[in-house]
Every structure is written in C-alpha cells, then in structure tokens.
Amino acid sequence: MNYFNYLLASLVFVACTTTQSQDMQPPNTGDFNRYWYGGQAELTSYELQQARYGEIHKGEAVLVFVTEPFSKSKQVKLDNWRDQSPDNVSVLKLNMTKKFLTGIYPYSMMMSTFKPVSSNQYPNAFKISTSSQEWCGHTFMQLNLEENNYRLKGFSYFESEGDVNVSVPGSLVEDEIWTTIRLNPANLPTGDIELLPSTFYLRLRHQETKPQQAKASLTMVASSDFGKSTHSKYMLEYANRSLAIYFESVFPYQILGWEETHQSGFGKKQALTTVARRINTIQSPYWSQNSNKDRALRKELGLSFE
C-alpha cells in the first residue's frame, strides 16, 4: 500500500476514534532498509529563529537520525551490536540540538529520543533525555518507559524544579513524534489526544512534567515557506502553545522545518514563534569523522556555531 492510500486509511480510522492507529508497522521495503541500515546517519541543519525572553534570537539546529542496537532492559545502546538476544531492539535515535545566543551568553540544548523501529511491537519510545546548558547553570531530565508510564529523573539548579524521581502518567510523548514521522507518518495520532509536551519547552518555560490535552492534525500542503512542492504538515494545538512540523510526503519523509508558538518573556508576555528552516541534509558516519579535516563537513551543512 502506498503512503497516500495508507494515510487515507489512517484518517478514516481516526475520524471514528481519538486513539492512535493500531497498524503500527513501518514501511517494510528495500528502500527503508537501505536508507536506515546502510551504515550512515542522516544529518540535517536548520536556520533557527528561537523565541526566548520575549525576543527572537538567531541560532542553529541539527537533527541527527540513526538506527542503533538498544538494550530493552537497560535502555542504553548495546556495546555488542551482534547480540542476538531478545534484549536487542533496533531503535531509530534522534539527537536534536539547538544553539543560540541570548545577549551576552549562549544556550546549548540537546534532546535524544530512542524509538523502536518495530512500532507494532513497541509503540512508544523507550527513552527520552534532554539537557540544557547556559551561563546560569544547566539542567537534565530523562524519561524511561516503565510499562504504561515513564520514570522521570530530573536535575536542575532551580529550586522550584530541584531533583526529582517520579512516575509520569501517560505514554505518548511529543518528542517521539519526530521519529514517528521518519518511520511511518501514517502512524501519527490525530484528533483530540493527550501527550507529554516537548521536553525543550518544559525546561525553557519551567513547566511541570505532566500530560496535556492537544488537538492533532495531519494535512497536505501545496506550498509553504518550507517547500514549494507538495509536502505534509503535522500540527499540535495545545491550550497555550502550538507546534507545526513540515516534512516531505514521500519516503524518507525528511523534515523541512517547524514552527512553535507560545507565550515568551516574563511579566508582560507575548506570543512569539520559533521557526527552523532546513539548510542542508547529508548522510555521514559522523562518529568516525572527528579529525580537523572533517570540519569541512560543517561547511557543507552551513553550520557556523562551534
């Protein structure tokens, strides 16, 4: 079944229910295996306009997608990728980074999501971890899947956030939406849903880590600022925030950019929109490209932040 027929079937299903589609199998094609198991990662750079402190700040974002062998029990990357035990689960890992300046000092943020490739067997991400560093201090939070809940461990220099180790109800996390798109966008939930918002957003806005209600939609776009040919748009609308992710409608469903709108600043807040637009995409075994001569690849990606 091609993507458009699959998408139509999925939309018919969600018209009658607000739960996630039960057909979770990613496209099982030779193209899928060649692309995601070819020994390289996909690196995409983005020009970033980041909302922070009531203003828009220039920066850069990078999405790194790569498949890895993952320990289901320990929830870490396996050292022995040849391990044939049931504990070895193939995941699509996303490392999302953001770098931007606010006045005199820089922000460096990173979010990692580990979502099983076999979504029909393991429908939820095993693990999400997020860190943020700036000159005031740094924070770290990690979500580990425990049956139908997540175990949250968080560490922060803010008193109100403190050090936490609690169970978070609900199993759908916004951060896994990005990998769901890459594996099979027909599995994106639509309608009225409940999910845990972006961990980047939770840390920047110092929000409590708990699920929120949102309205989700998946549409085709003839043209936008993110692409002049037909592409897809996935939209999440919360009570006080929205996120739109634009991506190619054909495999490998590369992400063209995104827009995120919420109240920014302190005191008299205003609605501002963070925007990221794709610069370039390359495939690379980046883990082995760590010499000075390999810095040329950063130029190819159009990256200037060190």
Side-chain angles (χ1 to χ4, degrees):
M1 182 183 295
N2 64 36
Y3 166 64
F4 292 102
N5 289 336
Y6 205 156
L7 176 58
L8 179 60
S10 177
L11 291 176
V12 169
F13 176 82
V14 298
C16 301
T17 179
T18 59
T19 59
Q20 194 170 9
S21 169
Q22 298 302 302
D23 190 351
M24 303 294 287
Q25 182 64 38
N28 185 18
T29 66
D31 287 342
F32 182 92
N33 292 330
R34 281 189 293 272
Y35 193 86
W36 290 118
Y37 294 102
Q40 298 189 94
E42 181 197 89
L43 315 178
T44 304
S45 53
Y46 298 85
E47 177 187 356
L48 180 66
Q49 301 287 330
Q50 177 69 46
R52 186 67 175 146
Y53 301 127
E55 296 181 318
I56 299 295
H57 306 273
K58 292 183 178 180
E60 293 170 346
V62 176
L63 301 188
V64 179
F65 286 98
V66 63
T67 52
E68 289 183 344
F70 198 76
S71 168
K72 183 173 60 174
S73 60
K74 298 178 181 178
Q75 297 196 357
V76 293
K77 179 183 177 181
L78 282 168
D79 292 333
N80 179 17
W81 62 269
R82 294 184 177 86
D83 182 356
Q84 297 298 310
S85 73
D87 190 51
N88 183 354
V89 177
S90 179
V91 300
L92 180 61
K93 178 180 74 174
L94 164 62
N95 283 338
M96 174 187 283
T97 66
K98 287 185 176 184
K99 290 182 180 292
F100 56 95
L101 296 173
T102 55
I104 191 175
Y105 62 94
Y107 268 78
S108 179
M109 306 182 72
M110 182 171 178
M111 179 269 288
S112 297
T113 301
F114 303 84
K115 187 171 179 66
V117 172
S118 297
S119 299
N120 59 327
Q121 185 176 4
Y122 306 107
N124 301 111
F126 281 151
K127 178 180 176 180
I128 298 100
S129 62
T130 297
S131 62
S132 177
Q133 301 83 39
E134 35 93 4
W135 283 5
C136 292
H138 62 107
T139 66
F140 176 80
M141 64 183 296
Q142 181 165 296
L143 294 161
N144 290 90
L145 186 63
E146 294 181 339
E147 296 182 354
N148 295 322
N149 295 328
Y150 279 95
R151 170 61 54 180
L152 166 66
K153 294 183 180 180
F155 305 91
S156 173
Y157 62 93
F158 289 107
E159 179 185 5
S160 59
E161 295 175 352
D163 294 351
V164 297
N165 185 346
V166 297
S167 179
V168 178
S171 58
L172 181 60
V173 183
E174 181 185 311
D175 290 340
E176 68 182 287
I177 291 295
W178 306 83
T179 41
T180 299
I181 289 172
R182 304 311 310 276
L183 291 169
N184 185 5
N187 289 334
L188 290 167
T190 59
D192 295 323
I193 62 174
E194 184 178 77
L195 74 168
L196 190 68
S198 157
T199 50
F200 276 167
Y201 170 75
L202 293 175
R203 290 287 61 81
L204 287 176
R205 295 300 305 163
H206 309 294
Q207 298 290 309
E208 182 181 356
T209 305
K210 64 179 182 180
Q212 297 181 14
Q213 296 293 321
K215 182 178 181 180
S217 60
L218 178 61
T219 57
M220 302 295 292
V221 181
S223 179
S224 74
D225 291 341
F226 300 90
K228 299 308 178 185
S229 58
T230 301
H231 53 280
S232 298
K233 173 185 177 182
Y234 186 69
M235 185 84 176
L236 288 172
E237 297 175 276
Y238 298 87
N240 56 2
R241 174 175 166 264
S242 66
L243 172 69
I245 305 174
Y246 298 82
F247 61 94
E248 294 177 346
S249 300
V250 295
F251 181 81
Y253 315 117
Q254 291 181 354
I255 292 172
L256 302 171
W258 62 92
E259 298 172 310
E260 179 187 7
T261 301
H262 60 78
Q263 296 293 314
S264 180
F266 299 99
K268 189 177 181 180
K269 303 174 185 177
Q270 59 178 322
L272 293 178
T273 300
T274 293
V275 180
R277 292 186 176 88
R278 183 169 68 173
I279 301 172
N280 197 15
T281 298
I282 65 173
Q283 287 186 294
S284 166
Y286 69 90
W287 49 87
S288 63
Q289 295 172 322
N290 46 34
S291 65
N292 285 327
K293 64 180 177 62
D294 294 319
R295 293 171 68 90
L297 293 171
R298 293 185 62 82
K299 294 183 179 179
E300 187 176 348
L301 286 166
L303 297 173
S304 59
F305 273 76
E306 296 297 327

